Amino acid sequence: MNMMFNLVVVVQVISALSIIALVLLQHGKGADMGAAFGSGASGSLFGATGSSNFMSKSTGVAAAIFFGATLALSVMANQRATTVGGGVMDKVVKPVPVTGAGAIPTTVPAAPAASAPAAAAPVASTPAGAIPK
């Protein structure tokens, strides 16, 4: 199954590259000199399309192969997901706890007892409204 999947991926990539090359090599509809001045069939909605040539036919074949390979890949991916069973989280590997000197402690050590603050020097208080000397 894995070899077939890889083969379909290779076919898809080759067909995609061939589509790119064939489209870039084709002659555009509006590239005629008369189309620049508005003559002839350039005024129609989609332009004059004569009979298709070899390049346009091979572009269509490469596009059909590309869509077929994409459909095959989606079917294969769907079969892979259903044969394994379970959800996405079922495939997660649970970590093995480390014991020994390098282990992370699972309990937090208690904080040291807070010592009472040192007694502050007595501050002379002045009665309200009195000016200190």
Side-chain angles (χ1 to χ4, degrees):
M1 185 71 170
N2 194 19
M3 186 173 163
M4 184 69 164
F5 187 80
N6 290 340
L7 179 67
V8 175
V9 168
V10 168
V11 168
Q12 187 178 27
V13 168
I14 290 173
S15 64
L17 291 176
S18 65
I19 289 171
I20 292 170
L22 287 169
V23 167
L24 290 176
L25 288 174
Q26 286 183 24
H27 186 68
K29 280 193 274 186
D32 297 336
M33 190 62 177
F37 298 108
S39 68
S42 64
S44 65
L45 183 61
F46 295 111
T49 55
S51 61
S52 58
N53 57 7
F54 173 74
M55 296 287 259
S56 61
K57 286 182 182 179
S58 43
T59 304
V61 169
I65 292 171
F66 179 80
F67 288 130
T70 304
L71 182 64
L73 283 176
S74 66
V75 169
M76 286 182 198
N78 192 21
Q79 287 176 353
R80 276 186 178 181
T82 57
T83 57
V84 174
V88 175
M89 294 305 291
D90 291 340
K91 299 174 189 165
V92 175
V93 178
K94 295 182 173 88
V96 177
V98 179
T99 58
I104 298 173
T106 56
T107 59
V108 178
S115 60
V123 178
S125 61
T126 57
I131 300 175
K133 296 183 185 185

